[in-house]
């Protein structure tokens, strides 16, 4: 086999291939001549054929490049979380979170609910704020919260009681069952009215978690002392900017300049008048703090939002691995049943 590379600047190469007596593959001899001035084209002529195995390998490579599938959405050269053995979604998501910890916005998740008035879906982005540790004083609650090898499963977020999501989830059962429709699957029930689904996409590892479950809102009127304490702790852990938002005007209403005026008054410290929270009436307390810099008690509209997972649909695009986990109750024992399914 002979290769001709013509018109290379200051260099002219002749590559000659000669069949070897001891091997089916050719050996190469290279000589150079320096007398050309420009680079143009590469041409190749061959007097011998490639070995059959080499031709088959080339054909396989060419065919694989044309097979575009789900793995091409992610990085097909990676192996995701390693092997494809079945492990609980809770174990998987712990690894995914660790990989994405330094990615800005890596803890943003989407929560979908249903507007039972129009029967239309509603979706919004919220911040995942960790897993709720189980109540040590209640065995069954602890079993539900740690259904995966003593790992907490209940997912924490926050929301405003004035938001649409709260209204959509907490509509009365009478309003749900009175919906006029001929499709029984569209009629709401007491058990399904607080259903929601979270979607969490991890761009670092090309993984998607669809977590279905029941939402619970923890407000100032909560009767469980442990949940009340968790709400208080979450309020104190918020940034000043996040706390301020709960003193803004009602969300969804037409914007007015009074909102800005109240915010500016709050930033200047207010006049410390007769506001019940230690700030001037109608003003927004800067950072949700009083004039001494102490964090104010959480307002009634601040809610700790908990998702109690019942099902997780996991998909890893690097190798098209998909797994479904369902929670299984057995007395005071709760476990996750994992099944690999087609992507």
């Amino acid at each position: 086999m002979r290769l001709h590379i013509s018109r290379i600047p200051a260099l002219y190469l002749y590559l000659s291939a000669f069949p070897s007596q001891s091997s089916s593959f050719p050996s190469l001899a290279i000589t150079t001549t320096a007398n050309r001035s420009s680079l143009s084209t590469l041409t190749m002529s061959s007097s011998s054929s490639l070995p059959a195995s080499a031709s088959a390998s080339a054909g396989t490579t060419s065919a694989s490049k044309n097979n575009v599938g789900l793995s091409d959405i992610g990085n097909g050269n990676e192996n995701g979380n390693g092997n494809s053995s079945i492990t609980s979604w809770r174990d998987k998501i712990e690894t995914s979170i660790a990989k994405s910890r330094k990615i800005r916005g890596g803890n943003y998740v989407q929560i979908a609910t249903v507007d039972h008035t129009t029967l239309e879906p509603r979706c919004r982005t919220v911040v995942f704020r960790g897993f709720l540790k189980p109540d040590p004083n209640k065995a069954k609650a602890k079993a539900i919260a740690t259904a995966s090898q003593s790992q907490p499963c209940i997912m924490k977020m926050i929301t405003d009681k004035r938001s649409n999501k709260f209204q959509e989830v907490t509509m009365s059962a009478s309003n749900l069952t009175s919906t006029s429709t001929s499709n029984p699957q569209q009629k709401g029930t007491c058990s399904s009215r607080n259903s929601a689904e979270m979607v969490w996409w991890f761009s670092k590892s090309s993984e998607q978690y669809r977590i279905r479950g029941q939402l619970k809102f923890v407000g100032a009127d909560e009767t469980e002392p442990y949940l009340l304490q968790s709400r208080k702790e979450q309020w104190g852990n918020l940034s000043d900017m996040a706390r301020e938002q709960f003193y803004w005007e009602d969300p969804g209403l037409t914007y007015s300049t009074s909102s800005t005026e109240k915010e500016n008054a709050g930033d200047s410290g207010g006049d410390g008048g007769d506001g019940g929270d230690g700030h001037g009436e109608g003003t927004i307390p800067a950072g949700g703090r009083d004039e001494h810099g102490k964090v104010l008690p959480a307002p009634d509209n601040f809610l700790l939002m908990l998702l109690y997972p019942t099902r997780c649909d996991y998909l890893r695009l690097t190798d098209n691995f998909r797994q479904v986990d369902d929670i299984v109750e057995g007395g005071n024992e709760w476990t996750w049943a994992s099944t690999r399914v087609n992507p």
Side-chain angles (χ1 to χ4, degrees):
M1 179 173 64
R2 176 169 301 228
L3 301 174
H4 298 285
I5 304 177
S6 60
R7 300 169 64 186
I8 298 178
L11 183 64
Y12 194 73
L13 302 177
Y14 287 97
L15 290 85
S16 301
F18 303 96
S20 173
Q21 295 178 353
S22 60
S23 172
S24 59
F25 293 94
S27 58
L28 295 178
I30 303 176
T31 58
T32 63
T33 303
N35 60 2
R36 294 295 187 230
S37 60
S38 64
L39 173 62
S40 177
T41 60
L42 169 66
T43 61
M44 176 171 63
S45 62
S46 175
S47 59
S48 63
S49 59
L50 291 173
S53 60
S55 299
S57 176
T60 301
T61 302
S62 177
S64 64
K65 290 182 178 180
N66 294 326
N67 290 334
V68 179
L70 289 176
S71 62
D72 295 282
I73 301 176
N75 185 346
N77 294 324
E78 296 181 358
N79 292 321
N81 288 339
N83 58 46
S84 296
S85 60
I86 299 292
T87 58
S88 169
W89 73 273
R90 187 61 182 83
D91 295 327
K92 284 181 167 61
I93 205 169
E94 196 72 22
T95 302
S96 302
I97 292 173
K99 289 182 178 179
S100 301
R101 198 173 299 278
K102 295 183 179 180
I103 297 179
R104 182 175 177 82
N107 60 338
Y108 293 174
V109 300
Q110 284 68 51
I111 285 284
T113 55
V114 174
D115 184 336
H116 291 284
T117 302
T118 62
L119 299 181
E120 295 175 336
R122 298 287 183 261
C123 189
R124 75 283 293 167
T125 300
V126 297
V127 178
F128 170 73
R129 298 183 182 274
F131 291 95
L132 178 69
K133 295 180 180 179
D135 186 349
N137 300 318
K138 293 195 174 183
K140 187 169 184 179
K142 182 176 181 180
I144 296 173
T146 60
S148 178
Q149 298 179 351
S150 299
Q151 292 177 314
C153 296
I154 301 173
M155 311 180 80
K156 295 190 299 181
M157 294 148 284
I158 62 172
T159 191
D160 195 310
K161 192 173 184 178
R162 301 168 295 176
S163 67
N164 289 335
K165 72 174 77 65
F166 176 78
Q167 304 300 327
E168 291 159 5
V169 172
T170 59
M171 287 185 65
S172 66
S174 59
N175 288 339
L176 292 174
T177 55
S178 63
T179 302
S180 176
T181 175
S182 59
N183 186 349
Q185 292 183 330
Q186 292 180 342
K187 292 182 180 180
T189 64
C190 294
S191 61
S192 65
R193 64 180 177 177
N194 60 341
S195 296
E197 182 163 288
M198 171 193 291
V199 175
W200 196 344
W201 167 252
F202 292 90
S203 59
K204 179 77 172 180
S205 52
S206 296
E207 295 170 294
Q208 174 184 269
Y209 293 82
R210 293 170 51 199
I211 304 171
R212 188 186 311 172
Q214 311 297 315
L215 283 178
K216 177 178 176 60
F217 297 102
V218 181
D221 57 349
E222 176 59 48
T223 58
E224 293 288 343
Y226 182 75
L227 294 181
L228 272 177
Q229 180 61 29
S230 298
R231 173 180 179 265
K232 180 180 179 180
E233 291 176 358
Q234 188 61 67
W235 174 253
N237 290 336
L238 296 180
S239 66
D240 286 3
M241 183 178 297
R243 276 193 296 268
E244 275 189 25
Q245 296 177 13
F246 289 91
Y247 295 96
W248 291 355
E249 298 285 349
D250 290 357
L253 298 183
T254 302
Y255 176 81
S256 66
T257 55
S258 63
S259 300
T260 303
E261 293 171 356
K262 291 179 182 179
E263 184 175 352
N264 292 336
D267 290 338
S268 63
D271 58 8
D274 55 1
D277 291 324
H279 53 87
E281 183 176 359
T283 64
I284 297 176
R289 299 174 181 270
D290 62 18
E291 62 271 19
H292 303 295
K294 184 179 179 179
V295 175
L296 294 167
D300 290 345
N301 56 299
F302 170 74
L303 300 176
L304 175 63
M305 183 169 68
L306 304 176
L307 177 65
Y308 289 73
T310 58
R311 181 182 178 89
C312 178
D313 192 329
Y314 167 79
L315 176 63
R316 186 172 62 226
L317 293 180
T318 54
D319 57 0
N320 298 331
F321 177 88
R322 184 181 177 190
Q323 172 182 320
V324 173
D325 291 61
D326 290 291
I327 198 167
V328 179
E329 179 183 5
N332 286 332
E333 296 294 328
W334 295 71
T335 59
W336 288 99
S338 304
T339 306
R340 182 171 182 177
V341 298
N342 293 329

